[in-house]
Amino acid sequence: MSAKPDTASATETYDLVIVSNRLPVDRVIDDDGNADWRPSPGGLVAALEPVMRSQDGIWIGWAGVSGEEVEPFEADGINILPVPLSEQELQEYYEGFSNDTLWPLYHDVIAQPSFHREWWESYVKVNRRFADAAAGAAARGAVVWVHDYQLQLVPAMLRETRPDLVIGFFNHIPFPPYGIYSQLPWRRQIIDGLLGADVIGFQRVADAGNFSRAVRRLKGYETRGPIIEVPIDSDDPEAGSHRHVTTNRHGGLARTVLARAFPISIDADKYQELARRPDIQARAREIREELGNPETIMLGVDRLDYTKGIGHRLKAFGELLRDGDLSAEDVTLVQVASPSRERVETYRQLRDEIELTVGRINGDYSTLGHSAIAYLHHGYPREEMVALYLAADVMLVTALRDGMNLVAKEYVASRVDDDGVLILSEFAGASDELRQALLINPHDIEGLKESILQAVAMPKRDRTRRMRALRKKVLTNDVARWSASFLDALTRAAHGDHPLQNPMVNRR
């Protein structure tokens, strides 16, 4: 990827501003020590790159390097504005409050969250820096789209300084029920931060409902379906500049906020295109041969995270081998566990636990020619992942809590042969759409074992019927449709349309 300095980015303003914790590019150093930038993997980048180029927007985020100022630049047609983070801020704002407080709390306290005031203070400070960068880059009346749990205070900070802006926020992870959310000492501040947006997007209808209930409990604001009425002080000189101003049932002024589900998806056509390439299909056959040509290959692909239920699937698989319902001669489990947050102690402990379990199962049940589990603790390029998807007869998604889980959709999009079985946790957002998968409760080990046996024995006719239905859903609701629907809601906000008149409100 070519990158060139663009000092004008520091002073120019833009009609579209994307704000996320990380930039859509990663810095790489070549053998000669020269730095360059390459596109980051992930659905968000794929979804927004075309929009950014067509609208000449700017993307604001951290460059991935602590303690270093990076000048604004252009990369592959996208204007980039880096936000600096010190090493201490990286520890307190990102590894601390974002990933050791909010992440476990929002994922149903699967791990115990930590509450430290110093982390919160750093979170506020960094959110202010992101908000100031967005305010400086946004043209009059611009659309600003903020992403994810690391930046939940930015919408209100922007609303305070730039009430002319149209502000959207999308939460990529779950939003927890009130009984869990209420544990957060700064629960009201987070709600106030999010309510600065005109449109707040969630992965699931249940998440949007949890947010609205939290608003009612903590703020006492009126809600009507997806609409939240945020009171406005009539003496505020900026009251007339707010969008969607209405009169509430008490006769006061209120700004309306739309909070509803916009389930994210993938670039399905890209996965189909890769899956049809002869070299990738040949690689899929080669993978099967490397594994000893077992009758059934099961696949798990996850970040090494305690929310993914990796231990639960290993337990179920180990018991099936123990009881003789499966044998390592016939069935191999491939587990790709890409490294994640390895500076956080909880994640280091998880890796040790998973690798001990894999070693025990392999020691007990592998043979000279067949390993029970092929465990791979590193990431792979997209081409290799598609080959793995094509090689796998059964895909295991056993998340204990997941905003969406795009791996499930990637597997479906890659199966251009209309074959394969998806086992999918009902606690992943993807289960709302992918109803033809074998839906499971990962905590129910006996139920998970039964679903694995059902998938292994499923006739070809049933596999084809289910996969065709799944593929129709994924190909129709792709990432382009997701970004278009959210930006449509923001565009309507820009034109002053009342959110209740938005035809997207009741669409799934």
Side-chain angles (χ1 to χ4, degrees):
M1 167 183 266
S2 61
K4 60 182 180 180
D6 184 9
T7 55
S9 295
T11 56
E12 290 181 5
T13 58
Y14 300 83
D15 291 328
L16 175 64
V17 179
I18 303 296
V19 188
S20 62
N21 177 65
R22 285 296 297 269
L23 289 170
V25 291
D26 295 322
R27 188 162 72 168
V28 293
I29 308 296
D30 63 21
D31 295 336
D32 296 326
N34 299 314
D36 202 356
W37 299 90
R38 67 182 177 193
S40 303
L44 181 62
V45 177
L48 297 181
E49 269 187 340
V51 178
M52 295 296 288
R53 292 195 186 96
S54 65
Q55 299 194 24
D56 190 33
I58 191 166
W59 197 309
I60 296 173
W62 176 51
V65 182
S66 62
E68 184 175 332
E69 296 270 353
V70 180
E71 291 297 318
F73 62 94
E74 180 184 307
D76 206 21
I78 298 177
N79 297 304
I80 301 290
L81 178 57
V83 173
L85 290 180
S86 68
E87 180 62 29
Q88 182 176 356
E89 288 167 341
L90 181 62
Q91 293 175 6
E92 295 180 347
Y93 146 78
Y94 181 69
E95 294 174 354
F97 195 80
S98 294
N99 290 327
D100 206 14
T101 300
L102 293 176
W103 180 269
L105 184 77
Y106 281 32
H107 287 86
D108 292 352
V109 196
I110 294 170
Q112 186 63 36
S114 301
F115 303 117
H116 297 295
R117 286 169 290 181
E118 296 82 2
W119 291 1
W120 165 251
E121 291 165 2
S122 183
Y123 185 81
V124 174
K125 179 181 177 182
V126 172
N127 271 245
R128 173 64 68 185
R129 188 176 304 145
F130 275 84
D132 289 346
R140 180 77 184 172
V143 170
V144 180
W145 190 359
V146 185
H147 287 270
D148 224 359
Y149 64 104
Q150 301 97 342
L151 302 174
Q152 293 176 103
L153 304 181
V154 170
M157 291 173 172
L158 277 174
R159 174 78 49 198
E160 180 183 0
T161 59
R162 293 287 306 274
D164 60 293
L165 299 176
V166 181
I167 305 168
F169 182 91
F170 187 78
N171 196 58
H172 291 257
I173 68 173
F175 194 90
Y178 181 75
I180 292 176
Y181 179 75
S182 63
Q183 298 176 41
L184 184 66
W186 306 279
R187 55 195 185 182
R188 287 184 174 83
Q189 292 94 316
I190 294 290
I191 292 293
D192 286 337
L194 292 172
L195 288 175
D198 296 293
V199 179
I200 309 171
F202 298 91
Q203 299 280 28
R204 310 181 78 169
V205 171
D207 295 329
N210 288 341
F211 175 74
S212 293
R213 279 186 285 276
V215 169
R216 291 195 298 271
R217 290 287 297 272
L218 293 171
K219 306 297 295 184
Y221 296 165
E222 299 287 337
T223 63
R224 292 176 290 128
I227 303 302
I228 299 170
E229 296 181 350
V230 181
I232 297 174
D233 184 356
S234 58
D235 294 330
D236 181 357
E238 300 285 353
S241 65
H242 292 296
R243 301 178 189 277
H244 311 311
V245 176
T246 186
T247 303
N248 62 26
R249 64 178 182 148
H250 305 293
L253 292 179
R255 180 176 60 85
T256 57
V257 175
L258 173 65
R260 74 166 188 89
F262 295 83
I264 198 172
S265 193
I266 62 169
D267 185 353
D269 287 341
K270 180 64 174 179
Y271 281 90
Q272 284 199 119
E273 175 188 323
L274 291 171
R276 291 194 172 103
R277 274 173 39 182
D279 61 319
I280 290 181
Q281 293 179 358
R283 174 60 185 147
R285 293 190 293 271
E286 185 179 308
I287 288 171
R288 295 193 72 96
E289 291 172 4
E290 290 174 357
L291 293 170
N293 282 314
E295 292 182 11
T296 302
I297 295 175
M298 299 195 300
L299 175 64
V301 176
D302 311 270
R303 283 189 309 103
L304 191 58
D305 193 288
Y306 49 77
T307 66
K308 302 300 183 180
I310 300 172
H312 293 64
R313 85 182 59 142
L314 293 177
K315 182 176 180 60
F317 183 55
E319 290 186 7
L320 289 169
L321 293 172
R322 180 199 67 193
D323 297 339
D325 295 312
L326 297 177
S327 76
E329 294 282 342
D330 299 326
V331 181
T332 297
L333 170 60
V334 178
Q335 176 61 58
V336 178
S338 57
S340 174
R341 300 169 187 162
E342 297 203 311
R343 293 175 22 154
V344 179
E345 179 60 28
T346 306
Y347 288 81
R348 289 198 294 266
Q349 293 175 2
L350 176 67
R351 178 181 179 180
D352 290 343
E353 292 169 8
I354 296 300
E355 292 180 354
L356 280 171
T357 302
V358 169
R360 178 182 58 78
I361 292 174
N362 276 337
D364 288 345
Y365 305 110
S366 295
T367 66
L368 285 174
H370 296 271
S371 291
I373 302 173
Y375 176 78
L376 308 163
H377 181 61
H378 44 84
Y380 288 96
R382 186 182 296 181
E383 291 80 3
E384 183 74 358
M385 290 310 308
V386 172
L388 278 166
Y389 293 146
L390 286 172
D393 304 287
V394 179
M395 184 79 213
L396 285 166
V397 177
T398 57
L400 307 180
R401 192 78 162 92
D402 216 336
M404 178 53 62
N405 194 286
L406 295 179
V407 164
K409 296 186 175 184
E410 291 172 4
Y411 179 71
V412 170
S414 300
R415 295 311 301 235
V416 293
D417 56 356
D418 290 332
D419 205 352
V421 181
L422 173 62
I423 295 177
L424 178 59
S425 168
E426 63 190 60
F427 303 121
S431 67
D432 290 348
E433 301 170 87
L434 304 184
R435 307 301 296 177
Q436 293 301 313
L438 297 182
L439 299 180
I440 54 101
N441 173 2
H443 300 285
D444 177 10
I445 301 299
E446 288 300 322
L448 175 53
K449 288 160 61 177
E450 291 171 6
S451 293
I452 290 173
L453 292 176
Q454 180 184 352
V456 169
M458 186 178 292
K460 177 71 163 65
R461 179 185 66 255
D462 292 346
R463 299 199 305 268
T464 298
R465 175 181 56 82
R466 286 175 178 270
M467 186 54 69
R468 283 177 177 168
L470 292 170
R471 285 179 52 74
K472 181 179 180 181
K473 179 67 72 171
V474 170
L475 295 177
T476 300
N477 297 322
D478 65 359
V479 72
R481 183 170 180 176
W482 167 78
S483 60
S485 67
F486 195 96
L487 288 170
D488 177 71
L490 283 177
T491 299
R492 289 173 178 273
H495 292 145
D497 291 351
H498 194 287
L500 280 177
Q501 297 171 347
N502 182 357
M504 300 298 295
V505 165
N506 295 316
R507 281 177 58 180
R508 292 287 310 282

